[in-house]
Amino acid sequence: AKERGRNAYCYYDPKLQVQNEGHRKLETQLVMALERGEFEVYYQPVVELSSRHIRSAEALLRWNSPVLGAVSPAQFIPVAEERGLIVEIGAWVLRQALTQVRTWRSAGHADIRVAVNVSPLQFQQDGFVELVERALRQHGLGGDALILELTEGSLIRDLEAANAKLVRLRELGVQIALDDFGTGYSSLAYLQQLQVDVVKIDRSFVQAMGETGPAVMEAILHLVRQLGYRTVAEGIETVAQYADLEGVGCDSGQGYLFARPVPAREFERVLAHYSRR
Ligand code: C2E
Ligand code: CA
Ligand code: CA
Ligand code: CA
């Protein structure tokens, strides 16, 4: 496949040309986006399935470029990683998220946490733990206000070094979630060695329940729980999915059924709505 890829590259491909130009344009705009204030953080609730209470909110980055319009994170996060911009952007998201969780806690939601996505490049930086510690202190928060979401890509390259960082973060009270479980390598031997609190089951497994029924999901949840981790199912869109997941003992869920990601002000209304029920 590699050979063919190399050969294919010898031919002029107008489609590829357009793609490359698009990529360059995005890159140029992305470099300036942070200082121009073009980013905004949206929040999506994570709901405990048995009680229907909101336990946390996932911070999801949005980019509204005056030149390119709204660009999805699936498009710009990889470019930000490639260019190393994600380190600075990620630190900004963390500060925004901590500011919000402080506001929500002051407004009476005393136990709510905020979950922040961390890219592998950020996590691998020397001083990442210190950065988190400092940010918490500056916002007058304990570690129990924060969840960090990491993918396997961050952890497998050097499991021992990764675990050493995770242990220090957990000592601060920060919870660690393994994101997108089931999409990567996910060997069991490896899963049981990880210093995490929560495993987020990828949306593809929630969708698959429609065809296969909940048995596969049940087996995954059973396994993850045996290892001592709590479970969150991603991408719940229907009442049927909710019912199936609750039936097989999934702890929490996230998805459009509960709420789409929304701006911080709107999230306060989502919070108020859920705590009234
Ligand atoms: P993720 O961490 O897996 O985030 C969950 C994604 O699923 C979000 O996409 C969310 O909007 C979407 N989602 C939630 N509920 C549903 C549902 O019911 N149905 C469907 N179809 N989708 C749902 P989003 O916001 O487009 O983000 C995509 C990815 O970009 C994230 O995937 C994450 O990997 C990355 N990302 C977003 N914000 C940040 C950030 O601040 N830092 C880093 N490093 N990555 C980020
Ligand atoms: Ca995530
Ligand atoms: Ca995910
Ligand atoms: Ca994902």
Side-chain angles (χ1 to χ4, degrees), residues 62-241:
R62 295 291 177 261
W63 178 25
N64 197 3
S65 160
V67 177
L68 304 166
V71 186
S72 92
Q75 276 184 285
F76 73 80
I77 295 280
V79 180
E81 283 171 341
E82 235 170 79
R83 287 289 309 262
L85 300 166
I86 195 67
V87 174
E88 205 184 330
I89 294 172
W92 179 84
V93 173
L94 177 65
R95 292 194 300 272
Q96 292 291 310
L98 292 180
T99 302
Q100 283 310 320
V101 75
R102 214 190 124 106
T103 304
W104 299 328
R105 285 186 163 208
S106 306
H109 305 279
D111 298 327
I112 195 163
R113 294 171 179 258
V114 74
V116 175
N117 290 286
V118 177
S119 101
L121 188 64
Q122 255 181 299
F123 184 69
Q124 282 155 20
Q125 300 285 303
D126 290 333
F128 176 74
V129 176
E130 288 79 2
L131 178 119
V132 171
E133 205 173 354
R134 197 162 54 243
L136 285 166
R137 196 176 340 107
Q138 284 167 352
H139 289 81
L141 290 164
D144 70 324
L146 182 64
I147 301 168
L148 296 176
E149 299 197 357
L150 293 143
T151 53
E152 286 165 308
S154 291
L155 308 174
I156 45 164
R157 200 174 306 161
D158 187 347
L159 186 63
E160 267 182 48
N163 269 341
K165 283 190 181 182
L166 296 183
V167 166
R168 290 174 59 207
L169 289 163
R170 294 176 77 193
E171 278 167 5
L172 298 173
V174 175
Q175 286 186 359
I176 309 297
L178 180 66
D179 207 350
D180 299 343
F181 178 72
T183 62
Y185 309 85
S186 307
S187 96
L188 294 184
Y190 152 81
L191 182 62
Q192 68 181 345
Q193 291 178 57
L194 285 180
Q195 292 286 335
V196 303
D197 302 280
V198 179
V199 172
K200 296 187 82 170
I201 317 283
D202 191 71
R203 179 164 67 93
S204 54
F205 293 99
V206 173
Q207 283 176 317
M209 284 194 307
E211 290 116 53
T212 63
V216 173
M217 179 63 84
E218 185 170 22
I220 296 172
L221 292 173
H222 179 74
L223 172 88
V224 171
R225 224 174 306 111
Q226 283 293 302
L227 295 174
Y229 309 133
R230 277 178 297 109
T231 52
V232 176
E234 301 193 285
I236 304 177
E237 295 181 352
T238 68
V239 174
Q241 288 169 340

